[in-house]
Amino acid sequence: MSAPVPLIAGNWKMHGLSASLDEARAIALGCKDVSPRVVICPPSVLVHRMAQALANEPVEIGGQDAHWDDFGAFTGDVSAAMLADAGARLVILGHSERRTGYRETDEIVAKKVLAALRAGLEPIVCVGETLDERKAGRALEVVTGQVRASLPAELADKPFAVAYEPVWAIGTGLTPTIAEIEEMHRAIRASLVEKFGDHGRGMPILYGGSVKPNNAAEILKADEVGGALVGGASLKASDFLAIVQAA
Ligand code: PGA
């Protein structure tokens, strides 16, 4: 089976105003002849305008989270159906900032994945261990447990991605060694194959956590690394494009 096309996704988190659409246009301009699939996930209020601004560009738009219901009395929330309606094609789910800050469990993440599928969105499901869990030698067990419990059986014939993001590497400038990344990505692959058979062999496993222009090439060529989920370095077109070009 040929390797999946690398996926490079930028997670803008709670950054970006109208003026940031120019940065997104600059990213799109640099993506004309690149091989990876490139995605920008802006704050939800920018999804529609960014999707329109980049409608004819080789960059897809994603959300950063979505509710598990399609509509309802959930003040302040945004549903997957709304993101899709606004022009998103993908959605990040289960980011550690949601799991920790908003107490999202694997069960909630799995319900959100189902909502994404109903809306026709491709989920990027995040998993990752804390520093305490790694120090206790539990990283593999924690992460493969998250993979098993956050990915519902309904993904068996749908495109999706898993993003391995060690919590301690997010926004810290710290990264695991290449050997640690490969060990984890192989374990995630084994869990995906166990759960989804051949389909699980073809889905990209992204690495995320302090991916920068100076470490992207080494990380992206590691075994079973099928792309990157990039936070801070996705906010500046020149940095993000350097990462895209390293893939
Ligand atoms: P970072 O964030 O690249 O700023 O570490 C990654 C993420 O949280 O997705």
Side-chain angles (χ1 to χ4, degrees):
M1 183 183 289
S2 60
V5 180
L7 171 59
I8 308 292
N11 174 11
W12 280 18
K13 308 191 180 184
M14 201 172 71
H15 298 285
L17 298 169
S18 303
S20 316
L21 292 172
D22 285 342
E23 208 66 27
R25 285 190 195 95
I27 290 170
L29 206 60
C31 288
K32 297 275 187 219
D33 298 308
V34 298
S35 48
R37 212 177 146 196
V38 181
V39 181
I40 305 176
C41 303
S44 60
V45 288
L46 284 183
V47 164
H48 188 241
R49 274 181 293 166
M50 197 177 285
Q52 293 207 319
L54 304 189
N56 300 312
E57 306 291 343
V59 172
E60 294 168 88
I61 310 302
Q64 299 177 9
D65 177 43
H67 198 271
W68 59 81
D69 266 336
D70 301 338
F71 304 98
F74 300 102
T75 302
D77 274 317
V78 172
S79 74
M82 292 168 184
L83 289 172
D85 184 54
R89 302 275 310 278
L90 302 93
V91 64
I92 298 168
L93 295 172
H95 189 282
S96 70
E97 286 152 17
R98 305 287 319 173
R99 288 180 185 263
T100 313
Y102 299 84
R103 303 211 180 102
E104 287 189 8
T105 60
D106 290 330
E107 194 188 358
I108 290 175
V109 177
K111 278 166 67 178
K112 291 183 168 198
V113 171
L114 293 177
L117 296 183
R118 285 196 300 277
L121 294 179
E122 188 175 329
I124 300 174
V125 181
C126 302
V127 293
E129 82 286 359
T130 63
L131 191 55
D132 283 348
E133 287 163 344
R134 177 158 287 272
K135 281 184 178 157
R138 297 185 51 233
L140 285 172
E141 167 202 334
V142 166
V143 170
T144 53
Q146 288 174 337
V147 169
R148 274 193 293 273
S150 304
L151 299 179
E154 284 80 351
L155 284 170
D157 57 354
K158 301 284 191 312
F160 68 90
V162 172
Y164 167 55
E165 299 203 303
V167 178
W168 50 274
I170 295 176
T172 58
L174 302 171
T175 51
T177 64
I178 296 297
E180 285 168 336
I181 292 175
E182 290 185 332
E183 179 187 40
M184 187 62 81
H185 279 235
R186 288 185 191 123
I188 293 171
R189 177 66 70 207
S191 302
L192 293 180
V193 172
E194 190 187 314
K195 191 152 184 169
F196 301 113
D198 262 354
H199 182 66
R201 242 180 265 286
M203 298 298 107
I205 304 171
L206 318 184
Y207 170 78
S210 297
V211 177
K212 306 287 177 204
N214 65 4
N215 62 15
E218 195 190 9
I219 291 173
L220 287 165
K221 69 172 194 282
D223 189 35
E224 290 292 3
V225 174
L229 181 54
V230 185
S234 70
L235 294 170
K236 211 167 123 207
S238 55
D239 285 351
F240 191 51
L241 287 171
I243 294 168
V244 167
Q245 279 149 13

